[in-house]
Amino acid sequence: MGKTEARKIIIDCDPGHDDAIAILLAGANSGIELVGITTVAGNAEVEKTTVNALKVCEIAGLLDTPVAKGSSQPLVRKRETAADIHGDSGMDGPTLPSPTKTIAAEHAVDFIIEQLLASDGDITLVPVGPLTNIAMAMRKEPLIVPKIREIVLMGGGTFGNWTPAAEFNIFVDAEAAKVVFESGVPLTMFGLDLTHKAQATPEIQERIRKIGNPVSDFVGELLQFFMHTYKEVFGFDGAPVHDACCVMYCIDPSIFTCRKLHVDIETKGEYSYGMTVVDMLGVTGKEPNVNVALDLDQDKFWDLMVDTLSAY
């Protein structure tokens, strides 16, 4: 048997500590071909998340990977950011020089459309922030929808972290999430049920620090800051690497246990706006529309992360 072809992905992100780790994993694993990175407002304003994406590309040596700046506002609602978790810059903690790498000429939405239209239907979209860019691309050019191989997203879950019902990425732009979840594209969802199990404990962080290259040192600093804020805000003992889970799935889906379930997006509820309504018991009788990640093999997950970061 020949070597498996690398999986082509576009990461749509709002770096973000865990977004940065997702980019680094995609940049160093031979199972991934990183077609480009698009940015969106989420953890911080889009100007900040774009600078952060450029900084991550520079430390990773991804100088030829296009970075396209995207939406600065949700489709309908007022923008919200997550400074209490990610700091004012969106990626507080490590100190990195101002990037010399520049952004692509086109808007992220147009970059996504161009790449998909020119593709053989083999590009996976990996949105790990609010879904504004993806929804806008689908609305602007519906011809892209059947050309998307899969959407592997971080968002949602059966409980919330921004409100009691809603996870941050979905809450920030639930109207965009509704467009994406109802698009008919094959969808795999990494919600809080899974990502809270992917916690970089102090022991895991020590393994990463021991790699001893500039990228692993950077990841160590990211995780230290992230662990501190998660301890302060949520009482966690480790740093959940939410967004990295999506890239890990693209590299090796066998790490994760998933179930096909029906998921609706709540956009009208007074207390439940932004909720991913996951039909765990099939009570609605609706056809499953989302592959929902629910568990992971801890040993395989962290071994793969350490191996990938060691490649830098």
Side-chain angles (χ1 to χ4, degrees), residues 3-297:
K3 192 173 175 228
T4 312
E5 205 171 315
R7 184 164 183 172
K8 294 180 181 176
I9 71 170
I10 295 172
I11 296 180
D12 184 68
C13 57
D14 56 339
H17 298 69
D18 47 332
D19 308 70
I21 297 169
I23 292 169
L24 295 169
L25 292 170
N29 194 284
S30 61
I32 298 293
E33 180 184 332
L34 184 55
V35 174
I37 297 164
T38 51
T39 61
V40 68
N43 290 323
E45 297 80 3
V46 73
E47 292 76 18
K48 293 177 182 177
T49 63
T50 305
V51 167
N52 292 342
L54 294 171
K55 287 180 175 180
V56 174
C57 284
E58 289 203 344
I59 195 167
L62 301 173
L63 303 181
D64 296 327
T65 302
V67 174
K69 180 180 168 186
S71 305
S72 60
Q73 299 281 350
L75 296 184
V76 177
R77 288 167 67 89
K78 189 165 152 273
R79 183 178 63 213
E80 290 202 37
T81 58
D84 59 336
I85 297 293
H86 293 276
D88 183 62
S89 72
M91 202 170 71
D92 279 11
T95 304
L96 293 176
S98 295
T100 55
K101 180 178 169 68
T102 54
I103 59 171
E106 66 268 62
H107 189 278
V109 170
D110 297 314
F111 177 83
I112 290 166
I113 290 169
E114 287 167 17
Q115 294 298 322
L116 287 168
L117 289 180
S119 77
D120 295 325
D122 56 351
I123 293 176
T124 296
L125 299 183
V126 183
V128 292
L131 289 161
T132 315
N133 288 334
I134 311 302
M136 284 184 70
M138 288 176 168
R139 283 287 192 254
K140 184 172 182 180
E141 181 47 89
L143 289 175
I144 68 171
V145 174
K147 297 207 78 168
I148 302 169
R149 173 179 165 181
E150 185 180 6
I151 295 174
V152 180
L153 67 91
M154 191 280 131
T158 60
F159 57 92
N161 63 358
W162 201 247
T163 72
E167 178 275 331
F168 175 79
N169 285 345
I170 305 295
F171 179 87
V172 165
D173 199 346
E175 285 76 17
K178 192 172 177 66
V179 170
V180 172
F181 275 69
E182 294 179 1
S183 67
V185 173
L187 201 66
T188 295
M189 178 178 103
F190 282 82
L192 300 177
D193 303 79
L194 182 288
T195 64
H196 279 183
K197 294 177 182 178
Q199 283 192 43
T201 60
E203 294 75 27
I204 295 290
Q205 292 183 44
E206 184 57 28
R207 281 182 68 189
I208 290 169
R209 271 193 296 272
K210 278 184 176 166
I211 295 168
N213 63 39
V215 169
S216 64
D217 292 347
F218 171 57
V219 171
E221 290 181 56
L222 289 171
L223 291 172
Q224 272 293 113
F225 183 90
F226 210 38
M227 183 172 71
H228 176 70
T229 59
Y230 259 83
K231 181 74 172 173
E232 270 194 348
V233 178
F234 296 116
F236 283 25
D237 291 324
V241 291
H242 307 280
D243 299 346
C245 296
C246 296
V247 173
M248 296 288 265
Y249 174 84
C250 291
I251 298 167
D252 184 1
S254 74
I255 291 171
F256 302 95
T257 303
C258 302
R259 276 181 67 197
K260 290 296 286 285
L261 299 165
H262 189 85
V263 181
D264 285 308
I265 306 296
E266 177 57 73
T267 57
K268 297 188 173 76
E270 182 180 356
Y271 302 110
S272 55
Y273 175 88
M275 182 180 186
T276 45
V277 184
V278 183
D279 187 5
M280 295 293 289
L281 299 177
V283 295
T284 62
K286 293 179 179 177
E287 280 292 308
N289 61 336
V290 178
N291 190 36
V292 180
L294 295 170
D295 209 351
L296 75 160
D297 182 320

